[in-house]
Amino acid sequence: GESVGLHLPTLSVQEGDNSIINCAYSNSASDYFIWYKQESGKGPQFIIDIRSNMDKRQGQRVTVLLNKTVKHLSLQIAATQPGDSAVYFCAETTGNQFYFGTGTSLTVIP
Amino acid sequence: ETGVTQTPRHLVMGMTNKKSLKCEQHLGHNAMYWYKQSAKKPLELMFVYSLEERVENNSVPSRFSPECPNSSHLFLHLHTLQPEDSALYLCASSQEARPGQRQYTFGSGTRLTVV
């Protein structure tokens, strides 16, 4: 069946370091991927997306990398700040289906 | 504030109660959604409304009943719930309902506890 998973449920990083959050997907036909951030007491918030015809996309302090060969997606956060502490979800679209991962909880240590 | 407002933020209800969750979006979007978020599980899509018509209903028990009176408002009517229905219920909207086109804007959710 379809699965969108994350390699680690929790991640702790020192403030100022870079963070890398990983996501694996199983369907090679997936053509659109999104990263969401969910802070405590809030709903998920769109961070960045990437289509399957791209390998890399950059935003403000965030970069998403897509490796279709191994069906792997990563979110890189540069110079991680305390405000980056949250749960991060990846999501993918395959045809008429839209799947979310379970999330990685990122904790930034001051 | 994301432009999608959910009320109430917290709700505790008994298994025999009837309650409703409300969602309102101020973004001019044409599609609205209900999602269920349980601990350590992926978000589960419950219902999709596009242009006020229900276009998806993902095997949700009949004790959950959605209503979309217009493109800005979405309700989830709850009746005879079970303790396992306790979760965070998220409303979202987007400009396009097709999965490949969805860029969700989520509300902050209603934390529901069934006792």
Side-chain angles (χ1 to χ4, degrees):
Chain A
E2 190 67 46
S3 68
V4 181
L6 291 160
H7 291 186
L8 293 172
T10 61
L11 176 66
S12 295
V13 298
Q14 207 71 36
E15 182 179 354
D17 287 352
N18 296 335
S19 303
I20 300 176
I21 301 171
N22 297 302
C23 183
Y25 62 96
S26 60
N27 193 330
S28 56
S30 297
D31 54 9
Y32 180 54
F33 305 86
I34 306 176
W35 280 101
Y36 286 91
K37 172 186 180 184
Q38 186 173 21
E39 297 176 83
S40 179
K42 297 184 179 180
Q45 179 182 5
F46 173 90
I47 303 174
I48 191 167
D49 59 358
I50 187 168
R51 299 212 172 266
S52 58
N53 61 353
M54 301 173 69
D55 297 322
K56 180 179 178 179
R57 191 160 187 226
Q58 287 185 289
Q60 187 177 12
R61 279 203 308 118
V62 295
T63 301
V64 56
L65 298 177
L66 177 61
N67 186 329
K68 294 180 286 294
T69 303
V70 295
K71 296 196 280 287
H72 182 268
L73 188 70
S74 69
L75 177 70
Q76 299 179 2
I77 304 173
T80 312
Q81 302 169 358
D84 295 325
S85 292
V87 176
Y88 290 82
F89 299 92
C90 62
E92 59 155 336
T93 297
T94 302
N96 288 325
Q97 301 299 320
F98 199 103
Y99 300 96
F100 284 91
T102 51
T104 290
S105 178
L106 174 66
T107 301
V108 180
I109 304 166
Chain B
E1 184 63 50
T2 64
V4 178
T5 304
Q6 288 187 246
T7 55
R9 290 297 305 274
H10 301 273
L11 178 62
V12 179
M13 60 185 289
M15 288 190 282
T16 58
N17 290 159
K18 287 185 183 181
K19 296 286 185 184
S20 296
L21 309 185
K22 180 182 176 182
C23 177
E24 185 174 357
Q25 60 101 356
H26 314 278
L27 301 168
H29 288 168
N30 60 9
M32 297 186 76
Y33 313 82
W34 281 115
Y35 271 90
K36 178 183 179 182
Q37 187 175 36
S38 304
K40 298 185 180 179
K41 287 188 178 180
L43 288 168
E44 300 172 51
L45 179 62
M46 301 175 72
F47 302 104
V48 179
Y49 276 83
S50 177
L51 299 173
E52 299 151 42
E53 273 193 52
R54 190 189 311 181
V55 297
E56 282 185 47
N57 177 347
N58 289 337
S59 302
V60 179
S62 59
R63 57 187 183 267
F64 295 92
S65 174
E67 178 189 0
C68 187
N70 55 62
S71 59
S72 299
H73 294 86
L74 185 66
F75 295 90
L76 187 63
H77 303 300
L78 315 172
H79 175 51
T80 323
L81 294 192
Q82 304 299 309
E84 60 264 29
D85 296 322
S86 298
L88 181 69
Y89 288 84
L90 290 162
C91 174
S93 69
S94 73
Q95 185 50 35
E96 173 57 68
R98 284 186 287 130
Q101 301 290 328
R102 291 175 188 171
Q103 285 200 2
Y104 295 109
T105 300
F106 285 92
S108 295
T110 294
R111 174 67 63 185
L112 174 67
T113 304
V114 181
V115 297

